[in-house]
Amino acid sequence: MAVTTIAGADIHVDDDGFMTEYDEWSEDLAGELARAIGIELTDAHWKVITFLREDYKEQGETATLRRVTTAGGIPTKELFQLFPKKPARKMAYVSGLPKPVGCV
Amino acid sequence: MTTTETKPFVPDFGDDEEDRTIAFVCSKGSLDMAYPGLIMANGAIESGMEAHLFFTFWGMDMITKKRQDHLHFSPVGNPAAHMPAALAPLPGMQTMATSMMKKQIADLGIPSVPEFIAHLSEMGAHFWACRLSVDMFGLEREDMIDELEGILNVSDFIEITKDAEIMFI
């Protein structure tokens, strides 16, 4: 495990750079994480991030794209627009959560 | 071991990589063989790839409206079904094995075949039917799912997938 500094905050990350400590994440940090991967957060992004954070707290694992659609009510197509190309990983990263482990 | 780095460590999402395309040839119509193509196409799209699914022969059942929600799993001749070979062909066994498998799939949060196809379509997957199979089974366009993009002969399919990785299932 490594520690990296983003926008003045020291955060623990795994080998791929995903945060490993749920409580080290903050809303300000999310904006910085997003900027680091070329995304400017809008209200639509926040809806996704809020769902992912809440769902992780309840389920103990990162929601898959399909779960964000079925349980979070956000169309999959929209997720691809908000977090281009690899939405499942990108939205997990910005939300300070591990990569989703589920296949579907 | 804990290390501290000066430059922020950000995951590589491969945004600069060349776009990849993958095609799945779905040739089986049993419940257990319908899922591999759907699940891998889903994973491919989530990894930023363009995905095509070409349905042929028994795989046509996956995109035939009246059949796609009634695919079966048969333990007959399948040692991996972990059932004594003499029991597998008994009446009712296929129905029981099918409903057990459907339950296991649903318990994992994996959608039914029609729902899965709708989900993949929403993500931008391309669905194609095999011309020869359509003719052989006497199917009309309206017999097949609305998400279907077209009916292709083999050379059309080869043309469409000329830069793709191809998997035969």
Coordinates of all heavy atoms in Angstrom, one line a residue, chain B residues 74-161:
Chain B
S74 N -29.6 -28.4 -19.8 CA -29.8 -29.8 -19.7 C -28.6 -30.5 -19.1 O -27.4 -30.3 -19.5 CB -30.0 -30.4 -21.1 OG -30.1 -31.8 -20.9
P75 N -28.8 -31.3 -18.0 CA -27.7 -32.0 -17.4 C -27.3 -33.3 -18.2 O -26.3 -33.9 -17.9 CB -28.2 -32.4 -16.0 CG -29.7 -32.4 -16.2 CD -30.1 -31.5 -17.3
V76 N -28.1 -33.6 -19.3 CA -27.8 -34.8 -20.1 C -26.4 -34.7 -20.8 O -26.2 -33.7 -21.5 CB -28.9 -35.1 -21.1 CG1 -28.5 -36.3 -22.0 CG2 -30.2 -35.4 -20.3
G77 N -25.6 -35.7 -20.6 CA -24.3 -35.7 -21.3 C -23.3 -34.7 -20.8 O -22.4 -34.3 -21.5
N78 N -23.6 -34.1 -19.6 CA -22.7 -33.1 -19.1 C -22.2 -33.5 -17.8 O -22.8 -33.3 -16.7 CB -23.6 -31.8 -19.0 CG -22.7 -30.6 -18.5 OD1 -21.5 -30.8 -18.2 ND2 -23.4 -29.5 -18.3
P79 N -20.9 -34.0 -17.8 CA -20.3 -34.5 -16.5 C -20.2 -33.4 -15.5 O -20.2 -33.6 -14.3 CB -18.9 -35.0 -17.0 CG -18.9 -35.0 -18.4 CD -20.0 -34.1 -18.9
A80 N -20.1 -32.1 -16.0 CA -19.9 -31.0 -15.1 C -21.2 -30.7 -14.3 O -21.2 -29.8 -13.4 CB -19.4 -29.8 -15.8
A81 N -22.3 -31.3 -14.7 CA -23.6 -31.1 -14.0 C -23.6 -31.8 -12.6 O -24.5 -31.6 -11.8 CB -24.8 -31.5 -14.8
H82 N -22.5 -32.6 -12.4 CA -22.3 -33.3 -11.1 C -23.6 -34.1 -10.7 O -24.1 -34.0 -9.6 CB -22.0 -32.3 -10.0 CG -20.8 -31.4 -10.3 ND1 -20.7 -30.1 -9.9 CD2 -19.7 -31.7 -11.1 CE1 -19.5 -29.6 -10.4 NE2 -19.0 -30.5 -11.1
M83 N -24.1 -34.9 -11.6 CA -25.3 -35.7 -11.4 C -25.0 -37.1 -11.9 O -24.4 -37.2 -13.0 CB -26.4 -35.0 -12.1 CG -27.8 -35.7 -11.9 SD -29.0 -34.8 -12.9 CE -29.2 -33.3 -11.9
P84 N -25.4 -38.1 -11.3 CA -25.3 -39.5 -11.8 C -25.8 -39.5 -13.3 O -27.0 -39.1 -13.5 CB -26.0 -40.4 -10.9 CG -26.1 -39.7 -9.6 CD -26.1 -38.2 -10.0
A85 N -25.1 -40.1 -14.2 CA -25.5 -40.0 -15.6 C -26.8 -40.7 -15.9 O -27.6 -40.2 -16.7 CB -24.4 -40.7 -16.5
A86 N -27.2 -41.7 -15.1 CA -28.5 -42.4 -15.3 C -29.7 -41.5 -14.8 O -30.8 -41.7 -15.3 CB -28.5 -43.7 -14.5
L87 N -29.4 -40.6 -14.0 CA -30.5 -39.7 -13.5 C -30.8 -38.6 -14.4 O -32.0 -38.1 -14.5 CB -30.2 -39.1 -12.1 CG -30.1 -40.1 -10.9 CD1 -29.8 -39.3 -9.6 CD2 -31.4 -40.9 -10.8
A88 N -29.8 -38.1 -15.1 CA -29.9 -36.9 -15.9 C -31.1 -36.9 -16.9 O -31.8 -35.9 -17.1 CB -28.6 -36.6 -16.6
P89 N -31.3 -38.1 -17.6 CA -32.4 -38.0 -18.6 C -33.8 -38.2 -18.0 O -34.7 -38.3 -18.8 CB -32.0 -39.2 -19.5 CG -30.8 -39.9 -19.0 CD -30.6 -39.3 -17.6
L90 N -33.9 -38.4 -16.7 CA -35.3 -38.6 -16.2 C -36.2 -37.5 -16.5 O -35.8 -36.3 -16.5 CB -35.2 -38.8 -14.7 CG -34.5 -40.1 -14.2 CD1 -34.5 -40.2 -12.6 CD2 -35.2 -41.4 -14.7
P91 N -37.5 -37.8 -16.6 CA -38.5 -36.7 -16.9 C -38.5 -35.7 -15.8 O -38.4 -36.0 -14.6 CB -39.9 -37.5 -16.9 CG -39.5 -38.9 -17.1 CD -38.2 -39.1 -16.5
G92 N -38.5 -34.4 -16.2 CA -38.6 -33.3 -15.2 C -37.2 -32.8 -14.8 O -37.1 -31.8 -14.2
M93 N -36.2 -33.6 -15.1 CA -34.8 -33.2 -14.6 C -34.4 -31.9 -15.3 O -33.8 -31.1 -14.6 CB -33.8 -34.4 -14.9 CG -32.6 -34.3 -14.0 SD -33.0 -34.3 -12.3 CE -33.1 -36.1 -11.9
Q94 N -34.6 -31.8 -16.6 CA -34.2 -30.6 -17.3 C -34.9 -29.4 -16.7 O -34.2 -28.3 -16.5 CB -34.4 -30.7 -18.8 CG -34.0 -29.5 -19.6 CD -34.2 -29.7 -21.1 OE1 -33.5 -30.5 -21.7 NE2 -35.1 -28.9 -21.7
T95 N -36.2 -29.5 -16.5 CA -36.9 -28.4 -15.9 C -36.4 -28.0 -14.6 O -36.2 -26.8 -14.3 CB -38.4 -28.8 -15.8 OG1 -38.9 -29.2 -17.1 CG2 -39.3 -27.6 -15.4
M96 N -36.1 -29.0 -13.8 CA -35.6 -28.7 -12.4 C -34.2 -28.1 -12.5 O -34.0 -27.1 -11.8 CB -35.5 -30.0 -11.6 CG -35.3 -29.8 -10.1 SD -35.1 -31.4 -9.3 CE -33.4 -31.7 -9.6
A97 N -33.3 -28.6 -13.3 CA -32.0 -28.1 -13.4 C -32.0 -26.7 -14.0 O -31.3 -25.8 -13.5 CB -31.2 -29.0 -14.4
T98 N -32.9 -26.4 -14.9 CA -33.1 -25.1 -15.5 C -33.5 -24.1 -14.4 O -32.9 -23.0 -14.3 CB -34.1 -25.1 -16.6 OG1 -33.6 -25.9 -17.7 CG2 -34.3 -23.7 -17.2
S99 N -34.5 -24.4 -13.6 CA -35.0 -23.5 -12.6 C -34.0 -23.2 -11.5 O -33.8 -22.1 -11.0 CB -36.4 -23.8 -12.1 OG -36.3 -25.1 -11.5
M100 N -33.2 -24.3 -11.2 CA -32.1 -24.1 -10.2 C -31.1 -23.1 -10.7 O -30.7 -22.2 -10.0 CB -31.5 -25.4 -9.9 CG -32.1 -26.2 -8.8 SD -31.3 -27.8 -8.6 CE -29.7 -27.4 -7.9
M101 N -30.7 -23.3 -12.0 CA -29.7 -22.4 -12.6 C -30.2 -21.0 -12.6 O -29.5 -20.1 -12.3 CB -29.2 -22.9 -13.9 CG -28.1 -22.1 -14.5 SD -27.4 -22.8 -16.0 CE -26.4 -24.1 -15.4
K102 N -31.5 -20.9 -13.1 CA -32.0 -19.5 -13.2 C -32.0 -18.8 -11.8 O -31.7 -17.6 -11.7 CB -33.4 -19.5 -13.7 CG -33.5 -19.7 -15.2 CD -34.9 -19.5 -15.7 CE -34.9 -19.4 -17.2 NZ -36.3 -19.2 -17.8
K103 N -32.3 -19.6 -10.8 CA -32.3 -19.0 -9.4 C -30.9 -18.6 -9.0 O -30.7 -17.5 -8.5 CB -32.9 -20.0 -8.4 CG -33.0 -19.4 -7.0 CD -33.6 -20.4 -6.1 CE -33.8 -19.7 -4.7 NZ -32.5 -19.2 -4.2
Q104 N -29.9 -19.5 -9.3 CA -28.5 -19.1 -8.9 C -28.0 -17.9 -9.7 O -27.4 -17.0 -9.1 CB -27.6 -20.3 -9.3 CG -27.7 -21.5 -8.4 CD -27.0 -22.7 -8.9 OE1 -26.9 -22.9 -10.1 NE2 -26.4 -23.5 -8.0
I105 N -28.4 -17.7 -10.9 CA -28.0 -16.6 -11.7 C -28.7 -15.3 -11.1 O -28.0 -14.3 -10.9 CB -28.5 -16.8 -13.2 CG1 -27.5 -17.9 -13.8 CG2 -28.4 -15.5 -14.0 CD1 -28.0 -18.4 -15.2
A106 N -30.0 -15.4 -10.8 CA -30.7 -14.3 -10.3 C -30.1 -13.9 -8.9 O -30.0 -12.7 -8.6 CB -32.2 -14.6 -10.2
D107 N -29.8 -14.9 -8.1 CA -29.2 -14.6 -6.8 C -27.9 -13.8 -6.8 O -27.6 -13.1 -5.9 CB -29.0 -15.9 -6.0 CG -30.3 -16.5 -5.5 OD1 -31.3 -15.8 -5.6 OD2 -30.3 -17.7 -5.1
L108 N -27.2 -13.9 -7.9 CA -26.0 -13.2 -8.1 C -26.2 -11.8 -8.7 O -25.3 -11.1 -9.0 CB -25.0 -14.0 -9.0 CG -24.4 -15.2 -8.5 CD1 -23.7 -16.0 -9.5 CD2 -23.4 -14.9 -7.3
G109 N -27.5 -11.5 -8.9 CA -27.8 -10.1 -9.4 C -27.6 -10.0 -10.9 O -27.6 -8.9 -11.5
I110 N -27.5 -11.2 -11.6 CA -27.3 -11.2 -13.0 C -28.7 -11.2 -13.7 O -29.6 -12.1 -13.3 CB -26.5 -12.4 -13.5 CG1 -25.1 -12.2 -12.9 CG2 -26.4 -12.5 -15.0 CD1 -24.2 -13.4 -13.0
P111 N -29.0 -10.4 -14.7 CA -30.3 -10.3 -15.3 C -30.6 -11.5 -16.1 O -29.7 -12.2 -16.5 CB -30.2 -9.0 -16.1 CG -28.8 -8.7 -16.3 CD -28.0 -9.3 -15.2
S112 N -31.9 -11.6 -16.4 CA -32.4 -12.7 -17.4 C -31.8 -12.3 -18.8 O -31.4 -11.2 -19.0 CB -33.9 -12.7 -17.4 OG -34.4 -11.5 -18.0
V113 N -31.9 -13.3 -19.7 CA -31.3 -13.1 -21.0 C -32.0 -11.8 -21.7 O -31.3 -11.0 -22.2 CB -31.4 -14.3 -21.9 CG1 -31.1 -14.0 -23.4 CG2 -30.5 -15.4 -21.4
P114 N -33.3 -11.7 -21.7 CA -33.9 -10.5 -22.4 C -33.5 -9.2 -21.7 O -33.2 -8.2 -22.4 CB -35.4 -10.7 -22.2 CG -35.6 -12.1 -22.0 CD -34.4 -12.6 -21.3
E115 N -33.4 -9.2 -20.4 CA -33.0 -8.0 -19.6 C -31.5 -7.7 -19.9 O -31.2 -6.5 -20.0 CB -33.2 -8.2 -18.1 CG -34.6 -8.1 -17.7 CD -34.7 -8.5 -16.2 OE1 -33.8 -9.2 -15.6 OE2 -35.8 -8.2 -15.6
F116 N -30.7 -8.7 -20.0 CA -29.3 -8.5 -20.3 C -29.1 -7.9 -21.6 O -28.3 -7.0 -21.8 CB -28.6 -9.9 -20.2 CG -27.2 -9.8 -19.6 CD1 -26.7 -10.8 -18.8 CD2 -26.4 -8.7 -19.9 CE1 -25.4 -10.7 -18.3 CE2 -25.1 -8.7 -19.4 CZ -24.6 -9.7 -18.6
I117 N -29.8 -8.4 -22.6 CA -29.7 -7.9 -24.0 C -30.1 -6.4 -24.0 O -29.5 -5.6 -24.6 CB -30.5 -8.7 -25.0 CG1 -29.7 -10.1 -25.2 CG2 -30.7 -8.0 -26.3 CD1 -30.3 -11.1 -26.1
A118 N -31.2 -6.1 -23.3 CA -31.6 -4.7 -23.2 C -30.6 -3.8 -22.6 O -30.3 -2.7 -23.0 CB -32.9 -4.6 -22.5
H119 N -30.0 -4.3 -21.5 CA -28.9 -3.6 -20.8 C -27.7 -3.4 -21.7 O -27.2 -2.2 -21.8 CB -28.5 -4.4 -19.6 CG -27.3 -3.9 -18.8 ND1 -27.4 -2.6 -18.2 CD2 -26.1 -4.4 -18.6 CE1 -26.2 -2.4 -17.6 NE2 -25.4 -3.5 -17.8
L120 N -27.3 -4.4 -22.4 CA -26.1 -4.3 -23.3 C -26.4 -3.3 -24.5 O -25.6 -2.5 -24.9 CB -25.8 -5.7 -24.0 CG -25.1 -6.7 -23.0 CD1 -25.0 -8.0 -23.7 CD2 -23.7 -6.2 -22.6
S121 N -27.7 -3.3 -24.9 CA -28.1 -2.4 -26.0 C -28.0 -1.0 -25.5 O -27.5 -0.1 -26.3 CB -29.5 -2.8 -26.5 OG -30.0 -1.9 -27.4
E122 N -28.4 -0.8 -24.3 CA -28.4 0.6 -23.8 C -26.9 1.1 -23.7 O -26.6 2.3 -23.8 CB -29.0 0.6 -22.4 CG -29.5 2.0 -22.0 CD -29.7 2.1 -20.5 OE1 -30.0 1.1 -19.8 OE2 -29.6 3.2 -20.0
M123 N -26.0 0.1 -23.4 CA -24.6 0.5 -23.3 C -23.9 0.6 -24.7 O -22.7 0.9 -24.8 CB -23.8 -0.6 -22.5 CG -24.2 -0.6 -21.1 SD -22.9 -1.3 -20.0 CE -22.8 -3.0 -20.6
G124 N -24.7 0.3 -25.8 CA -24.1 0.5 -27.1 C -23.6 -0.7 -27.8 O -22.9 -0.6 -28.8
A125 N -24.0 -1.9 -27.3 CA -23.6 -3.2 -28.0 C -24.3 -3.3 -29.3 O -25.4 -2.7 -29.5 CB -23.9 -4.4 -27.1
H126 N -23.7 -4.0 -30.3 CA -24.3 -4.1 -31.6 C -24.7 -5.6 -31.8 O -23.9 -6.5 -31.5 CB -23.3 -3.8 -32.7 CG -22.8 -2.4 -32.6 ND1 -23.4 -1.3 -33.1 CD2 -21.7 -1.9 -32.0 CE1 -22.7 -0.2 -32.9 NE2 -21.7 -0.5 -32.2
F127 N -26.0 -5.8 -32.2 CA -26.5 -7.2 -32.3 C -26.8 -7.5 -33.8 O -27.5 -6.7 -34.4 CB -27.8 -7.3 -31.5 CG -27.6 -7.1 -30.0 CD1 -27.9 -5.9 -29.4 CD2 -27.1 -8.1 -29.2 CE1 -27.7 -5.7 -28.1 CE2 -26.9 -7.9 -27.8 CZ -27.2 -6.7 -27.3
W128 N -26.3 -8.6 -34.2 CA -26.5 -9.0 -35.6 C -27.0 -10.5 -35.7 O -26.5 -11.3 -34.9 CB -25.1 -9.0 -36.3 CG -24.4 -7.6 -36.2 CD1 -23.3 -7.4 -35.4 CD2 -24.7 -6.4 -36.9 NE1 -22.9 -6.1 -35.6 CE2 -23.8 -5.5 -36.5 CE3 -25.7 -6.1 -37.9 CZ2 -23.7 -4.2 -37.0 CZ3 -25.7 -4.8 -38.4 CH2 -24.7 -3.8 -37.9
A129 N -27.8 -10.7 -36.6 CA -28.3 -12.1 -36.8 C -27.6 -12.7 -38.1 O -27.3 -11.9 -39.0 CB -29.8 -12.1 -37.0
C130 N -27.5 -14.0 -38.1 CA -26.8 -14.7 -39.2 C -27.9 -15.0 -40.3 O -28.9 -15.5 -40.0 CB -26.3 -16.0 -38.7 SG -26.0 -17.3 -39.9
R131 N -27.6 -14.5 -41.5 CA -28.5 -14.6 -42.6 C -29.0 -16.1 -42.9 O -30.2 -16.4 -43.0 CB -27.9 -14.1 -43.9 CG -28.4 -14.5 -45.2 CD -29.9 -14.1 -45.4 NE -30.2 -12.7 -45.2 CZ -31.4 -12.2 -45.1 NH1 -32.4 -13.0 -45.0 NH2 -31.6 -10.9 -44.9
L132 N -28.0 -17.0 -42.9 CA -28.3 -18.4 -43.2 C -29.2 -19.0 -42.1 O -30.2 -19.7 -42.4 CB -27.0 -19.2 -43.2 CG -27.1 -20.7 -43.6 CD1 -27.7 -20.8 -45.0 CD2 -25.8 -21.4 -43.5
S133 N -28.9 -18.6 -40.8 CA -29.8 -19.2 -39.7 C -31.2 -18.6 -39.8 O -32.2 -19.3 -39.5 CB -29.2 -18.8 -38.4 OG -27.8 -19.2 -38.3
V134 N -31.3 -17.3 -40.1 CA -32.6 -16.7 -40.3 C -33.4 -17.5 -41.3 O -34.6 -17.8 -41.1 CB -32.5 -15.2 -40.6 CG1 -33.8 -14.6 -41.0 CG2 -31.9 -14.4 -39.5
D135 N -32.8 -17.8 -42.5 CA -33.5 -18.5 -43.5 C -33.8 -19.9 -43.1 O -34.9 -20.4 -43.4 CB -32.6 -18.5 -44.8 CG -32.4 -17.1 -45.4 OD1 -33.2 -16.2 -45.0 OD2 -31.5 -16.9 -46.2
M136 N -32.8 -20.6 -42.5 CA -33.0 -22.0 -42.1 C -34.2 -22.1 -41.1 O -34.9 -23.1 -41.2 CB -31.7 -22.4 -41.5 CG -31.7 -23.9 -41.1 SD -30.0 -24.3 -40.5 CE -30.4 -25.5 -39.3
F137 N -34.3 -21.2 -40.2 CA -35.3 -21.3 -39.1 C -36.6 -20.6 -39.6 O -37.6 -20.6 -38.8 CB -34.9 -20.8 -37.8 CG -33.7 -21.5 -37.2 CD1 -32.6 -20.9 -36.8 CD2 -33.8 -22.9 -37.0 CE1 -31.5 -21.6 -36.2 CE2 -32.8 -23.6 -36.4 CZ -31.6 -23.0 -36.0
G138 N -36.6 -20.1 -40.8 CA -37.8 -19.4 -41.3 C -38.3 -18.2 -40.5 O -39.5 -18.0 -40.3
L139 N -37.3 -17.4 -40.0 CA -37.7 -16.3 -39.1 C -37.9 -15.0 -39.9 O -37.3 -14.8 -41.0 CB -36.5 -16.0 -38.1 CG -36.2 -17.1 -37.1 CD1 -34.9 -16.8 -36.4 CD2 -37.4 -17.2 -36.1
E140 N -38.8 -14.2 -39.4 CA -39.1 -12.9 -40.0 C -38.5 -11.9 -39.0 O -38.2 -12.2 -37.9 CB -40.6 -12.6 -40.1 CG -41.4 -13.6 -40.9 CD -41.0 -13.6 -42.4 OE1 -40.5 -12.5 -42.8 OE2 -41.3 -14.6 -43.1
R141 N -38.3 -10.7 -39.5 CA -37.6 -9.6 -38.7 C -38.4 -9.4 -37.4 O -37.8 -9.2 -36.3 CB -37.6 -8.3 -39.5 CG -37.0 -7.1 -38.7 CD -35.6 -7.3 -38.3 NE -35.1 -6.3 -37.4 CZ -35.2 -6.3 -36.1 NH1 -35.8 -7.4 -35.5 NH2 -34.7 -5.4 -35.3
E142 N -39.8 -9.5 -37.5 CA -40.5 -9.2 -36.3 C -40.5 -10.3 -35.2 O -40.9 -10.2 -34.1 CB -42.0 -8.8 -36.6 CG -42.7 -9.9 -37.4 CD -42.6 -9.7 -38.9 OE1 -41.6 -9.0 -39.3 OE2 -43.5 -10.1 -39.6
D143 N -39.9 -11.5 -35.7 CA -39.8 -12.6 -34.7 C -38.6 -12.3 -33.8 O -38.4 -13.0 -32.7 CB -39.5 -13.9 -35.4 CG -40.7 -14.3 -36.3 OD1 -41.8 -14.0 -35.9 OD2 -40.4 -14.9 -37.4
M144 N -37.7 -11.4 -34.2 CA -36.5 -11.2 -33.5 C -36.5 -9.9 -32.7 O -37.3 -9.0 -33.0 CB -35.3 -11.2 -34.5 CG -35.1 -12.6 -35.1 SD -33.8 -12.7 -36.3 CE -34.6 -11.9 -37.8
I145 N -35.6 -9.8 -31.7 CA -35.6 -8.7 -30.8 C -35.5 -7.3 -31.5 O -34.8 -7.2 -32.6 CB -34.5 -8.8 -29.8 CG1 -33.1 -8.9 -30.5 CG2 -34.7 -9.9 -28.8 CD1 -31.9 -8.8 -29.6
D146 N -36.1 -6.3 -30.9 CA -36.1 -5.0 -31.5 C -34.6 -4.4 -31.6 O -34.3 -3.6 -32.4 CB -37.0 -4.0 -30.8 CG -38.4 -4.5 -30.7 OD1 -38.8 -5.2 -31.7 OD2 -39.2 -4.1 -29.8
E147 N -33.8 -4.8 -30.6 CA -32.4 -4.3 -30.5 C -31.5 -4.7 -31.7 O -30.5 -4.2 -31.9 CB -31.8 -4.7 -29.2 CG -32.4 -4.1 -28.0 CD -33.5 -5.0 -27.4 OE1 -34.0 -5.9 -28.1 OE2 -33.8 -4.8 -26.2
L148 N -32.0 -5.7 -32.5 CA -31.2 -6.3 -33.6 C -30.9 -5.2 -34.6 O -31.8 -4.5 -35.0 CB -31.9 -7.4 -34.2 CG -31.1 -8.3 -35.1 CD1 -30.2 -9.2 -34.3 CD2 -32.1 -9.2 -35.9
E149 N -29.6 -5.0 -35.0 CA -29.3 -4.0 -35.9 C -29.4 -4.4 -37.3 O -29.7 -3.6 -38.2 CB -27.8 -3.6 -35.6 CG -27.6 -2.1 -35.5 CD -26.3 -1.7 -34.9 OE1 -26.1 -1.9 -33.7 OE2 -25.4 -1.3 -35.6
G150 N -29.2 -5.7 -37.6 CA -29.4 -6.1 -38.9 C -29.1 -7.6 -39.1 O -28.8 -8.3 -38.1
I151 N -29.4 -8.1 -40.3 CA -29.1 -9.5 -40.6 C -27.9 -9.5 -41.6 O -28.0 -8.9 -42.6 CB -30.4 -10.2 -41.3 CG1 -31.5 -10.1 -40.3 CG2 -30.1 -11.6 -41.7 CD1 -32.9 -10.4 -40.9
L152 N -26.9 -10.3 -41.2 CA -25.7 -10.3 -42.0 C -25.3 -11.6 -42.6 O -25.5 -12.6 -41.9 CB -24.5 -9.8 -41.1 CG -24.5 -8.5 -40.4 CD1 -23.3 -8.3 -39.6 CD2 -24.7 -7.3 -41.3
N153 N -24.7 -11.6 -43.8 CA -24.1 -12.9 -44.2 C -22.7 -12.9 -43.7 O -22.2 -11.9 -43.1 CB -24.2 -13.0 -45.7 CG -23.4 -12.0 -46.5 OD1 -22.5 -11.4 -45.9 ND2 -23.8 -11.7 -47.7
V154 N -22.0 -14.0 -43.9 CA -20.7 -14.1 -43.3 C -19.7 -13.0 -43.8 O -19.0 -12.5 -43.0 CB -20.1 -15.5 -43.6 CG1 -18.7 -15.6 -43.1 CG2 -20.9 -16.6 -42.8
S155 N -19.7 -12.7 -45.1 CA -18.8 -11.8 -45.5 C -19.0 -10.4 -44.9 O -18.1 -9.6 -44.7 CB -18.6 -11.7 -47.0 OG -19.9 -11.4 -47.6
D156 N -20.3 -10.0 -44.7 CA -20.6 -8.8 -44.1 C -20.1 -8.7 -42.7 O -19.5 -7.8 -42.2 CB -22.2 -8.6 -43.9 CG -22.9 -8.4 -45.2 OD1 -22.2 -7.9 -46.2 OD2 -24.1 -8.7 -45.3
F157 N -20.2 -9.9 -42.0 CA -19.7 -10.0 -40.6 C -18.2 -9.8 -40.5 O -17.7 -9.1 -39.7 CB -20.2 -11.3 -40.0 CG -19.6 -11.6 -38.6 CD1 -20.0 -10.8 -37.5 CD2 -18.6 -12.5 -38.4 CE1 -19.4 -11.0 -36.3 CE2 -18.0 -12.8 -37.2 CZ -18.4 -12.0 -36.1
I158 N -17.6 -10.5 -41.4 CA -16.1 -10.5 -41.5 C -15.6 -9.0 -41.8 O -14.7 -8.5 -41.2 CB -15.6 -11.4 -42.6 CG1 -15.9 -12.9 -42.2 CG2 -14.1 -11.3 -42.8 CD1 -15.2 -13.4 -41.0
E159 N -16.4 -8.4 -42.6 CA -16.1 -7.0 -43.0 C -16.2 -6.1 -41.8 O -15.3 -5.3 -41.4 CB -17.0 -6.5 -44.1 CG -16.6 -5.3 -44.8 CD -15.2 -5.4 -45.5 OE1 -14.8 -6.5 -46.0 OE2 -14.4 -4.4 -45.4
I160 N -17.3 -6.2 -41.1 CA -17.6 -5.4 -39.9 C -16.6 -5.6 -38.8 O -16.2 -4.7 -38.1 CB -19.1 -5.7 -39.4 CG1 -20.1 -4.9 -40.2 CG2 -19.2 -5.3 -37.9 CD1 -21.5 -5.2 -39.8
T161 N -16.1 -6.8 -38.7 CA -15.2 -7.1 -37.6 C -13.7 -7.2 -38.0 O -12.9 -7.9 -37.4 CB -15.6 -8.5 -36.9 OG1 -15.6 -9.5 -38.0 CG2 -17.0 -8.4 -36.3

